[in-house]
Amino acid sequence: MNLLPKTATEFGTTEYWNNFFKKRGKQAFEWYGEYPELCGQLHKYIKTKDEVLMVMRQITNIDISQVVIKQMQDANRTTRPEMLWYHMDATAMTAFSDEKYSVVLDKGTLDALFTDETEETIATVRKYFSEIARVLRVGGRYVCISLLQEHILKEVLSFFPEHEFMFRAIRCVEAEQKTAEGNSDGTSMPVFVVVATKFRKLPMKVYEVCLAGDEIQRVQKPEEIVLSVAAAQKASMVCNGLIRGSIAGMSEVSLDLHRPGEEIARYTIHVLDQKPIRGNGKYAAFIVPQGRETEWLFSTPQGRQKLLASASHDRLAIVSLHRGQVYASWDAVKDELAESVKSLAPHGLHAHIPYLSLGSEVGQRETIFKGHSTMSGDYIVEEILGNDNRIFRRLIFLNNQFVIQSEAAVKLVKGKGKSKTSSKVVDPGYLACQHHLYMTVGVHLATSLATGQSANPVMVVGLGGGGLCTFIHQCLRNTSLVAVEIDPEMLTVATSYFGLALDDRLAVQIRDGIDYLADCVQSSQRFRAILFDVDSKDPTLGMSCPPQAFVERAVLDNAKTLLGADGLFILNLVCRDETLRESVLQELRRVFRYVLSYKLEEDVNEIFYCADNAALDSADKWQEAMKRSAQEINALAKKHKLSREELVDLEEFVQALKI
């Protein structure tokens, strides 16, 4: 039986509804959920003493369809004689006096009236609203159950607050769940209850929203409600897609969850599927503790796929907690996420949804400094509590929050003498970025290749928090360094919060790296090694490190000139575009005689070693030289008690070198 209209405009015609109710007969049919699902909200705003005008113990019912009015009069004549049924147009309720009712209940009528945005339809809707405002008493409520399409919501928000009504929008999750249970594919649309309460005079416009649980939140602008409802509707579309089928073999689906009125997301959920396996079950949620969301396993699509495989579930929802938010406890987070996590479950899942994590804590995060860089925007320095209660300090640019710009380990040092207070000290030997270890191997190789130019310094383009410079400074104590950094704010951050110590072996130049290279060529300077470890400020590009300008021919030619015959050029490349990577590789090969590369297994970094040194004229000689330097770096790291847990895996490193 086809009971759905061919076009949305049919919802507003008397003919459609007469035909609908004739076809339906006495069969029950509810568009927006039945009484058991709606009563939780209705009982909050409609009391037994209220006189209720039902638009379609005294309830007056009206409807544009004479057919349904006749059906309801016949059905309720003996069982509910106190209920009144009138064939009446809701836009012209002339039979009712002013301020007659304490509640006007609208279940789908507004949606049926507001089928398009023509001037005629809008005029009809405004007449309807004016009639509602007229027949309601002061303190009375207009309770409207609706799908709240954007044009409908905007009109409701425009009319009622302007006419001294307090406005509240509530999502009725119970009705959605009941609808989903009744649909063969388990899908549903978001159902909302609008409550507009009439006052004589409000000192200010009042907007409230409740889209999850029972917590009512007050917002300042109507646009915040529009955005919140739209986000719920879009999320519902995503959830319906996930309910209908698996996304195994396709890209993951990502959702940001916000509280109304807040610009900062509270959670980010990544949903991944794999082909059904004999594992722990169909579906689970994994909560990433605060501070761990930047790790490769959680911050990259490849890492999340690995986590999915290890979790042994067909579907995994990976939840990241955002900085700038406060989370009371593990249980509080689970309670807050419960409905959202459930909505992402595959169709037909009725079992308990397990929550997985690295422990039963949400983690600890503390912001110790907030700053602004004219080059990179707002940034923070934060501390997190990691494994084994180790404290890590991080520099995060807020325009790219899931990337750690710099990280240092922090030690608690007991006070001396009478002082019992412990102080935090940066561990100068901790190397957070694995690719820095392999760049340091290259610096050692350059030192071993130098013939009579051992006094030449090493240039590092890109300071950041100074982690690479500090490690080289600690590990290779006969090496002098010049760090080139375009952003003066980074020097302040590195020295104030990340333990960078400037001395006669370590200097910093606040310059554009490309200009500095050109100036050094003009002054005939020489360097033992030149390292490019500079990130791009545009995260949308396929190559995020270095910026494209740093691998153009003129810049590479300048680097080659400064290195002479024995120097080594070391490049940290982060490139997800294979075509772009190939073009960089070809440019390197045009400039340098030898180009080697090492791709880190779990990171996106690839280290290139480029030289013209004629002494290394075969792959065997290169491998042997790299192996000796790696061995020496391992030995020096142990000697100076540098606390990097993973030193160079010699065999893996040498075998993976591409020449």
Side-chain angles (χ1 to χ4, degrees), residues 252 272-274 277 286 296-313 316 318 601-603:
E252 61 189 26
L272 303 88
D273 280 346
Q274 60 184 336
I277 57 175
F286 188 102
W296 177 84
L297 193 64
F298 311 119
S299 65
T300 66
Q302 298 88 344
R304 291 190 286 268
Q305 285 290 342
K306 187 172 182 178
L307 179 61
L308 169 65
S310 66
S312 298
H313 284 80
L316 191 64
I318 302 173
E601 183 180 356
E602 288 196 351
D603 287 334

Side-chain angles (χ1 to χ4, degrees), residues 556 569 584-592 595 608 610:
L556 297 177
F569 175 67
V584 172
L585 179 58
Q586 292 302 322
E587 204 64 54
L588 292 172
R589 286 173 174 165
R590 291 188 187 101
V591 176
F592 296 97
V595 177
F608 285 88
C610 309

Side-chain angles (χ1 to χ4, degrees), residues 1-33:
M1 183 184 296
N2 181 16
L3 297 180
L4 296 177
K6 295 177 183 177
T7 64
T9 55
E10 292 184 40
F11 275 124
T13 66
T14 304
E15 292 76 15
Y16 169 75
W17 290 108
N18 282 335
N19 289 331
F20 174 87
F21 288 111
K22 285 178 181 177
K23 289 180 181 180
R24 189 203 63 162
K26 296 181 179 180
Q27 178 186 354
F29 188 92
E30 294 295 345
W31 292 94
Y32 297 89

Side-chain angles (χ1 to χ4, degrees), residues 169 207-212 215-232 257-266 324-325:
Y207 304 99
E208 295 180 336
V209 65
C210 175
L211 299 184
E215 183 180 355
I216 304 292
Q217 293 178 309
R218 184 162 294 185
V219 298
Q220 299 300 313
K221 300 176 181 178
E223 291 80 11
E224 295 179 48
I225 294 182
V226 173
L227 290 174
S228 297
V229 169
L257 303 183
H258 292 253
R259 287 192 292 205
E262 291 188 357
E263 293 186 6
I264 301 175
R266 187 154 176 81
Q325 298 279 6

Side-chain angles (χ1 to χ4, degrees), residues 425-490:
V425 177
V426 172
D427 179 359
Y430 173 75
L431 193 61
C433 302
Q434 194 181 26
H435 73 274
H436 284 171
L437 183 65
Y438 294 96
M439 298 185 85
T440 306
V441 170
V443 174
H444 184 275
L445 175 62
T447 302
S448 66
L449 295 176
T451 55
Q453 299 186 29
S454 59
N456 289 342
V458 171
M459 182 195 302
V460 178
V461 180
L463 177 66
L468 174 59
C469 290
T470 297
F471 187 81
I472 295 174
H473 188 263
Q474 291 287 317
C475 194
L476 302 176
R477 300 193 175 185
N478 293 322
T479 300
S480 59
L481 297 165
V482 177
V484 186
E485 172 59 53
I486 193 172
D487 188 353
E489 191 73 14
M490 291 302 98

Side-chain angles (χ1 to χ4, degrees), residues 121-255:
T121 298
I122 292 173
T124 299
V125 169
R126 289 175 180 170
K127 283 176 62 180
Y128 173 50
F129 288 166
S130 296
E131 282 293 85
I132 290 169
R134 181 183 67 80
V135 302
L136 271 177
R137 302 166 186 164
V138 173
R141 282 92 54 209
Y142 170 50
V143 180
C144 175
I145 302 166
S146 168
L147 299 181
L148 280 189
Q149 293 169 276
E150 184 177 2
H151 67 284
I152 294 176
L153 177 57
K154 286 183 175 179
E155 190 66 31
V156 174
L157 279 166
S158 172
F159 181 89
F160 287 99
E162 290 294 333
H163 289 78
E164 307 300 332
F165 280 76
M166 186 184 85
F167 185 93
R168 178 176 294 173
I170 304 146
R171 185 174 181 181
C172 192
V173 177
E174 294 84 356
E176 297 172 36
Q177 291 173 342
K178 185 65 176 180
T179 303
E181 291 171 7
N183 287 346
S184 59
D185 62 358
T187 61
S188 66
M189 293 182 291
V191 177
F192 300 91
V193 178
V194 168
V195 180
T197 305
K198 184 177 179 180
F199 287 83
R200 290 200 186 280
K201 183 68 176 177
L202 283 170
M204 59 182 290
K205 292 182 175 63
V206 179
Y207 304 99
E208 295 180 336
V209 65
C210 175
L211 299 184
D214 295 323
E215 183 180 355
I216 304 292
Q217 293 178 309
R218 184 162 294 185
V219 298
Q220 299 300 313
K221 300 176 181 178
E223 291 80 11
E224 295 179 48
I225 294 182
V226 173
L227 290 174
S228 297
V229 169
Q233 291 165 334
K234 290 177 182 177
S236 179
M237 292 175 62
V238 172
C239 294
N240 284 339
L242 289 169
I243 289 170
R244 288 191 183 101
S246 171
I247 57 170
M250 297 183 286
S251 300
E252 61 189 26
V253 171
S254 300
L255 292 170

Side-chain angles (χ1 to χ4, degrees), residues 473-638:
H473 188 263
Q474 291 287 317
C475 194
L476 302 176
R477 300 193 175 185
N478 293 322
T479 300
S480 59
L481 297 165
V482 177
V484 186
E485 172 59 53
I486 193 172
D487 188 353
E489 191 73 14
M490 291 302 98
L491 178 58
T492 301
V493 169
T495 53
S496 300
Y497 297 100
F498 288 88
L500 182 70
L502 305 181
D503 57 20
D504 58 352
R505 289 199 298 115
L506 176 55
V508 175
Q509 292 283 338
I510 302 299
R511 295 283 305 280
D512 179 285
I514 293 175
D515 293 343
Y516 185 75
L517 285 169
D519 290 348
C520 289
V521 169
Q522 290 297 317
S523 59
S524 301
Q525 295 189 50
R526 289 291 182 267
F527 291 88
R528 190 185 316 178
I530 296 176
L531 287 65
F532 280 6
D533 188 34
V534 55
D535 68 309
S536 170
K537 301 305 178 186
D538 186 351
T540 65
L541 300 177
M543 185 168 67
S544 55
C545 184
Q548 180 71 43
F550 278 80
V551 288
E552 292 180 355
R553 182 64 178 268
V555 177
L556 297 177
D557 282 339
N558 283 340
K560 179 179 177 178
T561 300
L562 294 172
L563 291 167
D566 299 329
L568 190 67
F569 175 67
I570 305 167
L571 170 68
N572 173 33
L573 180 70
V574 179
C575 186
R576 295 171 177 83
D577 185 327
E578 189 57 36
T579 302
L580 191 54
R581 177 196 174 276
E582 186 62 27
S583 70
V584 172
L585 179 58
Q586 292 302 322
E587 204 64 54
L588 292 172
R589 286 173 174 165
R590 291 188 187 101
V591 176
F592 296 97
R593 181 182 303 175
Y594 304 111
V595 177
L596 289 77
S597 69
Y598 176 72
K599 179 72 169 65
L600 277 69
E601 183 180 356
E602 288 196 351
D603 287 334
V604 291
N605 306 77
E606 186 174 9
I607 306 302
F608 285 88
Y609 308 93
C610 309
D612 269 7
N613 197 305
L616 300 175
D617 56 1
S618 71
D620 290 342
K621 289 182 179 179
W622 269 108
Q623 286 186 330
E624 186 59 34
M626 296 295 285
K627 184 174 182 178
R628 285 197 303 269
S629 289
Q631 287 174 327
E632 186 64 21
I633 291 298
N634 281 354
L636 288 169
K638 292 177 181 178

